[in-house]
Amino acid sequence: MRRRYHLHLPGVLYVALTLFVGVAAANRPNNLLVWVFGAMLAGVLISGIVSGGMLMGVRGRRFDPRRGVVGEPLLIRYAIENRSRVWPAFNLHVSELPAGNRQRDAADRAFAWQRGMQGSDGWVLHVGPGDLVHGEIVLFPQCRGRLIFDRFRVSTTFPFGFVRKSVSFDQRTETLVHPRVLPLRDDLLSSLTKGGLGGFRLSSSQGAGDDYFGVREYRPGDSVRQIAWKRVAAGQGIVSIERSSSTPPRIRVVINLRTPTDQLRVSERGESARELEESAISLAASVISLAERQGYEVGLTVLGLALPRSPLRRGHWHIEKLMATLAQIDLDAARDGEAQLPDADRDRAVIVAIHPDRASPSVAPDGAWHLVATQLSTMIAPQAPRSGAKANNEVLA
Amino acid sequence: MRLVERFRLFALLLVLLAMVAFCVSQRSVALLLVALPLAILSWYVTEGPRGRALPRWMQNVLLASLLGWAAFAFMTLPDLSDTMGLLGRFVQWLLLVKLYGRKSPRDYAQIIALSGVLVMAGTLQTVEFAFAVIVFLYAALALWTVLLFQLWAARERARDARMRAIMVARNTFGPSSSAALAPPVQPVFGQSVAWQFRAVAIASTLMGLLLSIVIFVIFPRELSDFARREFRFGAPRVGFSEDVQLFTNNRITDSEREVFTVNWSDRRGESMRFSEPLYLRGAVLDRYRPEEGRWIRAPRGEIRAISTYASDGRKDGSHSGEFQSLARFVIDERFQTYVQQVTMSSLASDVLFSAWAPIAVASNEGRNFEFDPSTFLVRESRIGGGGRSRRYSIKVQPFPSEKTLEALMGAFIPEANVNFPVPQIEQFSRELLDQLNPIGVPSAAEIAEKPESRWIRNRGIARAFSEWLQSSRFSYTTDLGGFVRITGEDPIFSFLTRYRFGHCEYFASALVAMCQSVGIESRVVTGYLAIEYDETRELYVVRESNAHAWAEVRVGEFSWLQMDATPSETLALLQERRRSWADNFRWVYDRVEFLWNSRVVTFDSSTQASLAEQMSGAWQRSFRDWLLAAQEQLRRLNQYFVFGSAGTWWLGLVGFAAVLSVLVIARLRRRTQRLRRVVGLERDGVASRGVARRLARHLMQQLGFWLDVLDTLDRHGVGKPAALPPRLHAEVLSQSRPQAGETFADLVDLYYDVRFAGRPLDSSRRQRANELVQRLDRELAAGR
């Protein structure tokens, strides 16, 4: 916890004006002016006393943020506590401070705040003596990756705005920023997975589906709707019907990152190699997100980097894992140019291979679909036309 | 929330108050009547149902026009001393323009700052009580407004920043981005915010008032005292002036404000009205500077110091202090001696206004006075800590004998000053004297033969001149609009030969000038003419408009004759009773105004020194008294217990031990209370249950180390938040300082063992706890 006073332009101007009035009062036999000078000087003293006493008992703690998504608001909450028994604290600004030098070494690939963040500070109007309130700041991550929160600062210019006093708290934590998810066309996956391994199939195990799987003896607790009443009527005793579980279509997303960034083939006028790679990652995230929405089981394989493969699964937490895997891709790491799709990933799912620059069919078995990052713009679902003014009004509203 | 929303109304009130203050300082009702309604109207226009504001370009055009007007007015300003007035008028119009514009936090900051400049411009021009009251109100309101502004502006800026961030995100990621889903900024506040805000504002106001008074008292005043002497700024305009400057007319006033009252009583103490108007002398001027058109005092000779002493505490308002004689010898007071009791209403001056001739002075508090034997003027030499004298009494003999005058003057014999430095007037006076040819005036030969006869000549010639001035050739007026100064011509000569109209200072100046031109010692006297007698209160009421100037002509070795050349009929008409119904209520205002003038406006380095002396003396006295009382108590105790000669030392030792014990017990008690709070015994109600009380006491003895742990964490800036369990805090600490986090985790284990598992600390574990605390301190200091 560090306390600091920051010079503030209004404060400097005020002190200069006070000195000017003091000189005038000393040279002019006007006692009212002397009192005005006294009142102005008292203002400076009160400012120091009140703001000092105000921040003396303020303590802050950041709640660990959830993961962020590029382009989406990331809310970070803080518990601001005032331990003072007397002084209330007013007009507190909460802001995150960029990580120090230790986060900028080559080994740590976390994004610096200046690069990775844009957003607005938090504001707390009042914390009474002994009170605890929750403030929040909103950030808009600009790029995916690990985001390190090192310190945050609580500052105030109360009471008069002459001096900005701050107290900063060390609380290192980090979170992941998932790649940007773009709204892809709804028919994209259905056209990719038409027939074959991509369709719905019956499972060989019982479940909660609609199709008939078999019958078994009645067990206490079975619903009356499960009882096979025809067999009961036929005098065959009480038996229950079992249903089969349906198996959703499967899709495995493979990102081809075998080629190092500087060896990618890019056009001079187009996106840079690194931007293509990021677009490929974003396309993968968008495909995964769309697949999840449409009920697919999804798996992810990153070729060329030492990242664990993920099985084919459904569900929120599985998708979060896949997104976290995408968020952790370090494009500066060494690439394995000979990496191949493991055999375990070749069966029972439609494979969608995503390439940054050009399609390389060798990375995936026959029948796989190959997408290129540059195609991303063509796959985005068309937006309803909206005028700029209307959009702005919506934002302001 | 409503607290923050009040800011805009407060800002408007602040601006209105600043405008009123400036208009009061300018004494400009017209400006007030124009500016104030326009400012109030701006609230409806900008904040009303339509909510319209001047566009920025129109504001800029108006600002440019105002600047042009101000520059032109400055170039054509006749008197540069009105520069601050011009600045104030410019700021006032600028404020009006700003009030009609769109108001962002930056605009409001400018409006508040401009209102401060407006008040400052007024402060540089006047020190009047009414203005000062408005300034005090303004200061208090400004404090509240600035506090509210901080909250309001912070909210607006937070909202703007959030909107800006959303717009940037939308521009960066396109309209499909969900940036617009970011929540809007809402004020976050705890309990009783409005009440606590008021408490802070009131505390700040009181603290500001106290500090400003302290700074006011200790402010170095040598420079301003010099300026006060040189420029005479700050003296309220009360008609009376200690010099006469004929080129300016700013002292003459028709104001009906009561300056002071005079109770005139005979030796038996019965109030009475004197047979003639009372000429209350304030300043005597006998040197004329033709280049400035100004009468000044001659250098003073011997000054006699007189001190009065505090009375016996009578509270009836009478001046019960004993009279201190102004004379060197005893004066016979049996004949024609009156007592003049003066009670100041609004004027705070070091001059004691007295009729001719003062012989003794009294005050009901200890005061120091100076008596000038050459002029018979009494002044207060040093202001006490309580400001100027509010009441004083002077014994007066209107028709003093030669012996009385001699006793007052002592060894001082007035020098003859008979050279008037304007030759034109000398020639004019001689021609006039020849023309008037007064009867009974001794010739030069008779004077040479009998020198005493020159006093008869003085009296005769002066009376002739005075009658000539009082004739219908001259008229009295305070309007000197037609009295145009002629380059190279003395204003007195212009008055005598060209214009022949003017106010009392011209008549007195002309009479003294003519007398001095023909070798008669004479002088101009300024002061007040007490003519309005209040029969109900049995006292004279002296108003600002009663300020007057007259002449004194030497008619004896020690005698001076009072001569008023101003036409008496006109004067009587002007000085007639002017009491209005409002005067019945003025006494309260006058009393407060006197306090203001007495204690604030005239506060100078001598008052400061006197106050410091009194304060220092009071502290010393108080400390000495306390020490003596303690010694006495100690001696009595020693006597009571019969400790003998070393008993005092033993008692001192016991007292010291008692104080030390109290301090130690208080510290332990505070620590125990804190520990109960920290470990949650109070919250759980454990300590309140009878059975568990022993357990609680036991815990308190065991858990002392936990307070040391928390203090260590606080000291190194990683204090444990109250809401965070110790174990969780250990994990948080481990992330930034792994070693310290590990040590803290060990301490947490010990704490949990004692607090929740009921395993008491034995000596070895207690020692380990202490070692861990020390290690934690070292590791945190090293940042590990």
Side-chain angles (χ1 to χ4, degrees), chain A residues 1 26 28-31 35 46 71-72 83 85 88 91 118 120 125-126 131 157 159 172 180 391-392 395, chain B residues 1 123 127 150 154 162 167-168 170 173 177-178 188 190-191 196 221 223-224 600-601 603 677 717 720 735:
Chain A
M1 192 167 63
R28 240 178 127 83
N30 181 343
N31 275 341
W35 183 83
I46 291 170
E72 291 182 9
R83 293 187 181 179
R85 292 184 181 183
N91 195 23
Q118 274 189 354
S120 62
L125 172 70
H126 162 254
D131 274 357
T157 56
R172 186 179 162 87
R180 190 175 176 208
N392 285 342
V395 170
Chain B
M1 80 175 290
T123 308
V127 289
Q150 288 295 315
R162 182 71 55 89
M167 294 305 290
V168 168
R170 278 179 64 92
F173 300 107
S177 159
S178 56
V188 178
Q191 295 176 347
Q196 286 175 16
R221 292 167 187 281
L223 268 174
S224 59
V600 180
V601 174
F603 191 91
R677 200 170 52 250
K720 186 185 84 64
Q735 290 176 4

Side-chain angles (χ1 to χ4, degrees), chain B residues 707-723:
Chain B
L707 275 189
D708 296 336
V709 173
L710 295 180
D711 286 342
T712 306
L713 292 175
D714 271 340
R715 205 166 48 245
H716 292 286
V718 286
K720 186 185 84 64

Side-chain angles (χ1 to χ4, degrees), chain B residues 334-518:
Chain B
R334 287 172 301 177
F335 181 67
Q336 290 274 13
T337 302
Y338 298 91
V339 175
Q340 166 199 322
Q341 297 180 342
V342 177
T343 305
M344 308 305 287
S345 298
S346 60
L347 174 64
S349 169
D350 58 343
V351 175
L352 272 63
F353 293 94
S354 158
W356 176 270
I359 59 170
V361 63
S363 169
N364 60 350
E365 48 189 333
R367 297 279 175 176
N368 297 311
F369 297 101
E370 289 175 348
F371 175 67
D372 185 352
S374 64
T375 58
F376 284 18
L377 289 179
V378 187
R379 304 177 78 96
E380 195 175 349
S381 58
R382 192 172 178 183
I383 306 166
R388 300 284 185 197
S389 282
R390 177 159 168 75
R391 294 194 181 94
Y392 55 84
S393 302
I394 295 178
K395 270 187 188 172
V396 176
Q397 285 192 355
F399 311 104
S401 64
E402 284 289 315
K403 277 189 177 179
T404 300
L405 293 173
E406 192 178 351
L408 285 168
M409 285 194 173
F412 177 80
I413 304 295
E415 291 177 9
N417 176 25
V418 289
N419 295 320
F420 192 73
V422 184
Q424 294 164 311
I425 295 179
E426 187 177 344
Q427 188 184 351
F428 174 80
S429 303
R430 293 196 183 283
E431 287 174 7
L432 180 65
L433 189 58
D434 290 342
Q435 190 184 334
L436 293 174
N437 192 17
I439 302 165
V441 173
S443 62
E446 287 171 334
I447 292 171
E449 187 181 334
K450 191 180 177 185
E452 290 80 15
S453 60
R454 64 189 167 113
W455 307 126
I456 301 170
R457 172 182 173 269
N458 286 1
R459 188 191 298 261
I461 292 174
R463 187 158 289 157
F465 282 150
S466 177
E467 285 170 359
W468 182 72
L469 285 168
Q470 284 182 317
S471 67
S472 58
R473 295 182 187 89
F474 290 85
S475 61
Y476 179 92
T477 178
T478 55
D479 180 13
L480 296 184
F483 201 102
V484 181
R485 188 180 170 189
I486 309 295
T487 308
E489 187 173 289
D490 190 79
I492 300 176
F493 188 73
S494 301
F495 170 73
L496 287 170
T497 59
R498 190 182 298 273
Y499 299 117
R500 295 193 169 180
F501 63 84
H503 50 69
C504 55
E505 288 181 352
Y506 281 89
F507 282 93
S509 300
L511 177 57
V512 173
M514 286 193 293
C515 287
Q516 288 186 356
S517 297
V518 295

Side-chain angles (χ1 to χ4, degrees), chain A residues 1-2 8 17 20-43 45-46 49-50 54 59-61 64 69-75 79 81-83 85-93 102 118-129 131-138 140-143 156-162 168-174 180-183 380 383 386-388 390-392 394-397, chain B residues 1 3-4 117 119-120 122-128 131-132 135-136 139 143 146-148 150-152 154-155 158 161-163 165-170 172-193 196-198 200 203-205 207-209 211-213 215-216 219-225 227-229 231-235 596 599-604 677 714 716-724 728 732 735-737:
Chain A
M1 192 167 63
R2 276 164 279 184
H8 206 216
L17 182 66
F20 176 74
V21 172
V23 171
N27 286 285
R28 240 178 127 83
N30 181 343
N31 275 341
L32 185 58
L33 200 61
V34 174
W35 183 83
V36 169
F37 168 69
M40 293 177 77
L41 202 58
L45 296 174
I46 291 170
I49 294 168
V50 173
M54 206 168 266
R59 300 286 183 278
R61 185 165 62 88
D64 286 346
V69 179
V70 172
E72 291 182 9
L74 169 61
L75 254 67
E81 182 188 7
N82 185 3
R83 293 187 181 179
R85 292 184 181 183
V86 181
W87 291 100
F90 286 95
N91 195 23
L92 300 177
H93 295 264
R102 58 186 173 172
Q118 274 189 354
S120 62
D121 293 348
W123 175 61
V124 173
L125 172 70
H126 162 254
V127 192
D131 274 357
L132 187 145
V133 299
H134 289 176
E136 64 185 20
I137 69 175
V138 175
F140 293 95
Q142 304 286 300
C143 47
T156 183
T157 56
F158 203 80
F160 303 133
F162 301 152
S168 55
F169 301 94
D170 291 328
Q171 190 183 341
R172 186 179 162 87
T173 187
E174 62 181 60
R180 190 175 176 208
V181 176
L182 291 161
I380 294 174
Q383 295 286 314
R386 291 192 300 178
S387 69
K390 188 180 174 186
N392 285 342
E394 282 178 14
V395 170
L396 291 172
Chain B
M1 80 175 290
L3 177 71
V4 180
V117 172
V119 173
M120 200 68 76
T123 308
L124 285 166
Q125 297 189 84
T126 183
V127 289
E128 284 191 2
F131 176 75
V135 171
F136 288 142
L143 190 140
V146 171
L147 293 184
L148 283 173
Q150 288 295 315
L151 303 182
W152 180 84
R155 188 190 68 179
R162 182 71 55 89
M163 281 303 143
I166 291 172
M167 294 305 290
V168 168
R170 278 179 64 92
T172 308
F173 300 107
S176 63
S177 159
S178 56
L181 299 178
V185 172
Q186 293 291 340
V188 178
F189 49 90
Q191 295 176 347
S192 313
V193 55
Q196 286 175 16
F197 177 83
R198 278 186 214 114
V200 167
S204 301
T205 309
M207 212 187 308
L209 184 66
L211 283 171
S212 64
I213 289 172
I215 295 166
F216 176 83
F219 187 79
R221 292 167 187 281
E222 279 67 24
L223 268 174
S224 59
D225 283 356
R228 180 177 282 114
R229 284 194 298 274
F231 307 120
R232 305 208 52 76
F233 180 87
W596 167 253
R599 305 205 174 183
V600 180
V601 174
T602 57
F603 191 91
D604 56 10
R677 200 170 52 250
D714 271 340
H716 292 286
V718 286
K720 186 185 84 64
L724 203 64
L728 205 55
V732 172
Q735 290 176 4
S736 56
R737 300 176 188 189

Side-chain angles (χ1 to χ4, degrees), chain B residues 58-72:
Chain B
M58 196 178 286
Q59 284 187 57
N60 291 337
V61 168
L62 287 171
L63 175 62
S65 311
L66 274 176
L67 274 172
W69 166 78
F72 176 75

Side-chain angles (χ1 to χ4, degrees), chain B residues 74 115 178 230 268-269 409 430 482 503 530 539 594 598 658 697:
Chain B
F74 181 72
S115 75
S178 56
E230 286 298 306
R268 291 167 298 179
M409 285 194 173
R430 293 196 183 283
H503 50 69
L539 42 77
F594 173 80
S598 162
R697 199 177 301 127

